[in-house]
Amino acid sequence: MTAIASSHHTRDRISLRFEKEVSHLSIVRREKGRILVVDDDPSLTLLVSRILGRAGHEVLVTSGAEEALIAIRDSEPDILLADIVMPNISGLELARAVRQKHPDIQVILMTGEPTLSSATTAVEIGACRYLSKPFSRPQLIAAVERAESERAKAEERRTALPLLRMVEDEQRKTAELDAAFSSALDSLWMAYQPIFRTDNGAVHAYEALLRSSEPRLPGPPDVLRAAEDLQAVSDLGRIVRARAAKPFETLEGRTNLFVNLHPKDLLDDDLFSPLSPLTQIANRVVLELTERASLEEIPDLVDRIARLRALGFQIAIDDLGAGYAAVSSIAIIEPELVKLDMSLVRGVNANPTKARIIRHLVRMAHDASALVVAEGVETTEEKAVLVELGCDFLQGYLLGRPAKWQG
Ligand code: G
Ligand code: MN
């Protein structure tokens, strides 16, 4: 279901861009083409250029093929109208040379003595019209119009082809990502990592962590990025929250559940639904928020947080001390908990600056009535210092790795 919904979104995006580019092309295309007339008969070139000029064309005239080649190099005409019989270089040779270098230029050949062999050569060269002299004004206009439409088609084919390739390429990549994402959802499972109380060492809660066995999307960040690219963040969020809640629905006692939210989840109605599985156990659930930069894009953030609290949820600021999860979010969100990022926790026993920062963050959190979880505790030395610095809860490989629910 998810895969279909997401690929639909992507298709919309691609066709939108495709239409934009195509309309851009049609704006650029000229209305009336530029025509180069090559004939050693000045009375003919005069007549022809008058007719075509009146029809709105820009007309260039040369009396021989050598001059014509220079004119083509300098002014790139759309149509070449050339006499077959000329001194030095014949119109056929000229046409052949031009078509080889500029395949989009349309060639019309004129002759006073039509022969089968010259007509055959004209066809081989790809001349689109063969006018036998004398010709009428309507015959000339018709030949030019046909050449113009061929020219427009050739131009469109040439410019649209790379665009089409690009669109196809993107569609193929999206389809591949879509398949990988669907399979990640199929093999999705939740790992639970214990969070311990510092005062008595008891398990206070478990953090639910996304896991999948899809090799193309090996880590949780890969799955999340795919969801973002496929515009399926809400789909993923709903599945994660329902799965995370499962073991807790029948669990006795007061063990809490910590669940990570993507900032986009805050825009999903399902999160606020009184009927959703997670809402059923809301008074035991802490929702973790991270990425201050994206949180700022949620227009009514404070209001949405208030609605979550009204449903019974508590809120934690995740990854405090890393990247964007800035201190000011404590003032805006007024979380029940903050989680110190493991980059601050790592080696805190040997780094007085980290220790000082944590001490300040703990004091600040406590002043704002928030409790503090230290994440990523890996050594007994780190643990000892974190306890001394006043952290209320500890989480990390030292104390318990994320694992399948042992229920
Ligand atoms: O963004 P968040 O803090 O929710 O990410 C937690 C991640 O950190 C999980 O993927 C979890 O597996 C991992 N993790 C948990 N404890 C430790 C730890 O002690 N050390 C390290 N390096 N990673 C940890
Ligand atoms: Mn987390």
Side-chain angles (χ1 to χ4, degrees):
M1 183 191 73
T2 307
I4 291 165
S6 56
S7 56
H8 173 73
H9 282 301
T10 317
R11 208 172 305 125
D12 281 354
R13 223 167 44 206
I14 289 168
S15 67
L16 211 74
R17 177 159 62 204
F18 188 73
E19 278 156 26
K20 236 188 347 204
E21 305 233 2
V22 167
S23 65
H24 162 75
L25 290 178
S26 52
I27 289 165
V28 168
R29 196 178 306 134
R30 275 189 303 270
E31 278 306 313
K32 289 278 182 183
R34 182 185 304 172
I35 303 178
L36 174 63
V37 182
V38 189
D39 199 316
D40 53 341
D41 172 1
S43 62
L44 182 126
T45 53
L46 186 66
L47 186 67
V48 164
S49 58
R50 247 190 225 150
I51 294 172
L52 295 178
R54 281 208 195 102
H57 291 282
E58 192 184 327
V59 186
L60 307 160
V61 174
T62 72
S63 58
E66 295 91 340
E67 258 181 89
L69 287 169
I70 294 166
I72 286 167
R73 192 195 59 202
D74 293 347
S75 62
E76 288 237 0
D78 301 299
I79 298 169
L80 170 68
L81 183 64
D83 188 19
I84 289 184
V85 184
M86 290 187 292
N88 304 329
I89 305 173
S90 83
L92 288 173
E93 285 168 79
L94 171 66
R96 197 194 303 276
V98 168
R99 291 283 297 179
Q100 262 166 16
K101 262 188 117 173
H102 311 270
D104 282 0
I105 295 182
Q106 302 301 308
V107 176
I108 303 170
L109 292 166
M110 306 177 282
T111 182
E113 307 116 42
T115 63
L116 187 60
S117 97
S118 66
T120 310
T121 312
V123 169
E124 273 168 23
I125 290 165
C128 73
R129 210 75 173 122
Y130 190 78
L131 279 174
S132 52
K133 295 179 189 174
F135 43 80
S136 68
R137 185 183 169 281
Q139 279 174 321
L140 174 63
I141 296 284
V144 166
E145 273 174 6
R146 159 127 182 237
E148 285 226 285
S149 91
E150 288 298 319
R151 159 88 196 184
K153 267 189 244 161
E155 202 168 307
E156 207 164 275
R157 269 196 301 272
R158 188 169 42 72
T159 43
L161 210 62
L163 199 66
L164 191 67
R165 293 265 154 74
M166 202 180 78
V167 171
E168 279 171 354
D169 200 48
E170 195 159 323
Q171 268 171 344
R172 186 182 45 73
K173 277 192 201 137
T174 304
E176 278 168 16
L177 188 65
D178 213 294
F181 182 65
S182 294
S183 137
L185 288 188
D186 290 344
S187 65
L188 183 139
W189 59 280
M190 300 309 297
Y192 294 85
Q193 186 177 31
I195 298 172
F196 294 88
R197 286 171 61 149
T198 313
D199 57 358
N200 63 6
V203 171
H204 169 70
Y206 288 89
E207 177 175 1
L209 295 160
L210 166 67
R211 295 289 184 268
S212 109
S213 332
E214 168 53 47
R216 285 169 290 181
L217 300 169
D222 303 307
V223 180
L224 275 169
R225 207 170 312 116
E228 285 168 0
D229 289 351
L230 296 166
Q231 304 189 18
V233 168
S234 308
D235 300 296
L236 178 63
R238 289 176 186 205
I239 293 170
V240 162
R241 291 193 297 276
R243 287 283 179 85
K246 205 94 203 136
F248 286 75
E249 287 163 359
T250 53
L251 191 70
E252 302 290 329
R254 287 285 322 146
T255 310
N256 289 299
L257 170 65
F258 284 52
V259 178
N260 294 283
L261 289 189
H262 187 285
K264 281 239 166 67
D265 288 327
L266 285 169
L267 298 171
D268 183 9
D269 287 342
D270 176 79
L271 180 65
F272 301 90
S273 163
L275 304 173
S276 80
L278 199 62
T279 310
Q280 306 312 305
I281 56 164
N283 57 9
R284 285 193 280 163
V285 174
V286 176
L287 300 173
E288 300 190 9
L289 290 176
T290 188
E291 293 191 52
R292 193 182 105 108
S294 315
L295 284 179
E296 280 167 354
E297 286 165 21
I298 312 285
D300 41 4
L301 177 67
V302 172
D303 176 55
R304 285 175 183 270
I305 301 282
R307 282 167 61 200
L308 292 173
R309 286 215 173 87
L311 289 168
F313 292 111
Q314 296 194 332
I315 309 293
I317 300 291
D318 202 1
D319 308 322
L320 193 69
Y324 285 109
V327 171
S328 68
S329 57
I330 296 177
I332 298 162
I333 291 164
E334 300 181 336
E336 280 81 8
L337 292 116
V338 303
K339 300 187 78 178
L340 301 179
D341 191 71
M342 58 181 88
S343 60
L344 269 182
V345 166
R346 184 72 50 254
V348 64
N349 51 296
N351 187 325
T353 307
K354 281 185 178 180
R356 216 170 300 123
I357 293 169
I358 290 182
R359 192 186 298 283
H360 280 102
L361 288 176
V362 168
R363 188 173 308 148
M364 201 157 42
H366 285 169
D367 283 349
S369 309
L371 296 175
V372 179
V373 183
E375 272 189 329
V377 186
E378 290 185 356
T379 68
T380 50
E381 291 80 7
E382 287 166 357
K383 179 186 165 187
V385 173
L386 292 163
V387 171
E388 194 271 318
L389 290 172
C391 294
D392 304 284
F393 305 102
L394 302 176
Q395 178 181 1
Y397 291 169
L398 174 73
L399 307 153
R401 289 188 168 254
K404 281 218 159 76
W405 185 257
Q406 321 280 329

